[in-house]
Amino acid sequence: MRTKYLKGAARLAGLASVLPLAGCELDTLQPSGPVGDQIKHLIVVSTIAMLIVVVPTIILVCYFAWKYRASNTEAEYLPKWSHSNKIEVAIWGIPTVIIAFLAVITYQTCHSLDPYRPLDEEAQTKPLNVEVVALDWKWLFIYPDEGIATVNQLAIPVNQPVHFVITSDSVMNSFFIPRLGSMIYAMAGMQTQLHLMASEPGDYLGESSNYSGRGFSDMRFRTLAMPQDQYNAWVEKVRSSSDQLDGQTYARLAAPSEAEPVKYFSHVEGNLFDTIVAKYNNGMVMDKSTGKMIHVQSAMSDMNMKE
């Protein structure tokens, strides 16, 4: 009877250990873009390399415990044994080779997966520019070339690189689309960059992966990857909205709110993103072409001259 109860308890314990993983998603291991593919490859290769040490170690621990148990009188007993060159070579040599291998692929991917590095596809295709602002507790996406903006919905054409410029008008957040690739921080007064691309149509989860307060759990958005003609239709749909995003509208939008619904803005004040960045930098913003800090009004003047 006692053995029966122990077996039942063991089954329940095993089930309980799996339950915390019931809500987990493996989006990172189901990539839909070139950056995500490289990240998946890095994770898989690194895991296999480390398991070369981990798995034999676990097996040998169990083997030695069984072989040299007290009741096994046939096990060889060597009380004065202290050293083996073969064992030393194995326990130091194999991990050293693996660490060297991991160091090489880490160095390579630190450069190839640099979020500031333009994708190779950008040499043939002009990237889509998107300005991202993290708010409490929602995401604002500004399309400067189209003159539109959305809240908690991002649309991008398939097979076209996307150049994100990211900031925050609140506490530090982290911008992450698991199916497409890299995560990068959004910080007030700063502009981080990220280059991604979707290689197949889909509706992908986007989220903040950095805890930012009460409404953090609902700070999510949908990324709609679609063919070019559908993307053009989506842009026209946003342009048909009666809402416009100027300074007053933005002030109301920036107020803390939870589970914010999707919103469309048919027109965006031209310097809105730079104004958000500059408010934390004494009115200064980085010139994207020179990398130098200039006054936000100067940035607007230069932009008007180019137009």
Side-chain angles (χ1 to χ4, degrees), residues 222-279:
R222 303 309 304 184
T223 301
L224 309 179
M226 57 187 72
Q228 186 65 50
D229 57 340
Q230 294 183 21
Y231 172 76
N232 294 337
W234 178 87
V235 170
E236 293 304 318
K237 178 182 177 181
V238 176
R239 285 177 175 162
S240 66
S241 171
S242 59
D243 295 329
Q244 299 188 7
L245 189 58
D246 54 20
Q248 293 181 348
T249 306
Y250 175 77
R252 294 191 295 269
L253 177 66
S257 61
E258 299 180 44
E260 188 76 15
V262 172
K263 292 182 179 179
Y264 295 152
F265 298 96
S266 59
H267 176 74
V268 183
E269 193 174 272
N271 64 338
L272 181 59
F273 184 84
D274 287 339
T275 301
I276 294 170
V277 176
K279 66 187 285 189

Side-chain angles (χ1 to χ4, degrees), residues 8-25:
R11 293 192 187 99
L12 289 175
L15 178 62
S17 65
V18 175
L19 286 177
L21 301 176
C24 293
E25 298 180 1

Side-chain angles (χ1 to χ4, degrees), residues 19-86:
L19 286 177
L21 301 176
C24 293
E25 298 180 1
L26 299 177
D27 284 355
T28 305
L29 298 179
Q30 297 174 333
S32 298
V35 177
D37 286 334
Q38 291 183 64
I39 292 175
K40 176 185 176 180
H41 180 263
L42 174 62
I43 292 173
V44 171
V45 171
S46 299
T47 301
I48 293 174
M50 290 183 285
L51 287 177
I52 293 174
V53 170
V54 173
V55 173
T57 300
I58 294 174
I59 293 174
L60 288 174
V61 166
C62 296
Y63 172 75
F64 290 153
W66 173 257
K67 180 175 177 60
Y68 297 103
R69 66 191 186 279
S71 59
N72 185 13
T73 57
E74 296 180 0
E76 188 177 10
Y77 179 56
L78 301 173
K80 296 184 178 181
W81 180 90
S82 63
H83 182 77
S84 169
N85 289 331
K86 294 180 180 179

Side-chain angles (χ1 to χ4, degrees), residues 102-247:
L102 293 174
V104 171
I105 64 171
T106 300
Y107 176 82
Q108 293 174 341
T109 52
C110 279
H111 291 278
S112 63
L113 293 174
D114 180 357
Y116 281 57
R117 177 181 177 270
L119 301 179
D120 295 337
E121 290 80 1
E122 294 187 28
Q124 291 80 33
T125 307
K126 180 182 177 181
L128 172 69
N129 295 306
V130 180
E131 296 171 339
V132 183
V133 183
L135 302 170
D136 287 334
W137 285 274
K138 59 192 97 55
W139 293 95
L140 171 64
F141 302 101
I142 301 173
Y143 293 73
D145 299 332
E146 288 82 2
I148 60 175
T150 63
V151 172
N152 285 345
Q153 187 179 90
L154 171 69
I156 58 176
V158 174
N159 294 325
Q160 180 176 356
V162 184
H163 176 212
F164 295 98
V165 182
I166 306 165
T167 192
S168 173
D169 197 6
S170 178
V171 299
M172 183 170 70
N173 276 281
S174 189
F175 179 76
F176 189 29
I177 307 174
R179 293 286 295 274
L180 298 187
S182 303
M183 171 195 73
I184 194 166
Y185 286 113
M187 296 169 281
M190 300 183 67
Q191 301 177 60
T192 51
Q193 299 182 44
L194 181 62
H195 294 261
L196 297 175
M197 189 177 78
S199 56
E200 58 186 56
D203 182 349
Y204 307 129
L205 169 68
E207 61 186 341
S208 171
S209 55
N210 189 76
Y211 181 73
S212 57
R214 186 180 68 243
F216 163 76
S217 59
D218 290 317
M219 195 173 173
R220 299 186 173 192
F221 62 91
R222 303 309 304 184
T223 301
L224 309 179
M226 57 187 72
Q228 186 65 50
D229 57 340
Q230 294 183 21
Y231 172 76
N232 294 337
W234 178 87
V235 170
E236 293 304 318
K237 178 182 177 181
V238 176
R239 285 177 175 162
S240 66
S241 171
S242 59
D243 295 329
Q244 299 188 7
L245 189 58
D246 54 20

